[in-house]
Amino acid sequence: MEYNSIAELLDSDPKARSYFDTLPVDIQQYLLDKCTGAKNADELRAFGDDLRLCI
């Protein structure tokens, strides 16, 4: 299933929420504010892991 926003993904997918909750707060906020492309939990993980490497 694909979602239209990170918030919708987090509300609907426990796997995505579980991963998101492990991220540092600054990365969580960045994803909520700037990342609109994650359509599923795997894409969210890819974006989050990339951000961890950059910060």
Side-chain angles (χ1 to χ4, degrees), residues 4 6-7 11 13-16 21-23 38 40-43 48 50 52-53 55:
N4 294 319
I6 296 276
D11 288 342
D13 187 330
K15 179 181 168 186
D21 288 344
T22 69
L23 294 171
N40 58 51
D42 292 330
E43 287 183 9
D50 285 348
R52 281 187 189 197
L53 294 174
I55 294 177

Side-chain angles (χ1 to χ4, degrees), residues 1-3 9 13 16 37-45 47:
M1 178 173 257
E2 292 189 358
Y3 299 93
L9 172 62
D13 187 330
K39 302 294 185 191
N40 58 51
D42 292 330
E43 287 183 9
L44 177 65
R45 181 176 292 277
F47 288 136

Side-chain angles (χ1 to χ4, degrees), residues 3-37:
Y3 299 93
N4 294 319
S5 70
I6 296 276
E8 185 180 315
L9 172 62
L10 296 175
D11 288 342
S12 302
D13 187 330
K15 179 181 168 186
R17 172 54 75 179
S18 178
Y19 170 73
F20 185 82
D21 288 344
T22 69
L23 294 171
V25 173
D26 58 334
I27 293 178
Q28 289 178 359
Q29 194 61 53
Y30 182 88
L31 288 169
L32 289 170
D33 291 345
K34 309 264 189 225
C35 182
T36 59

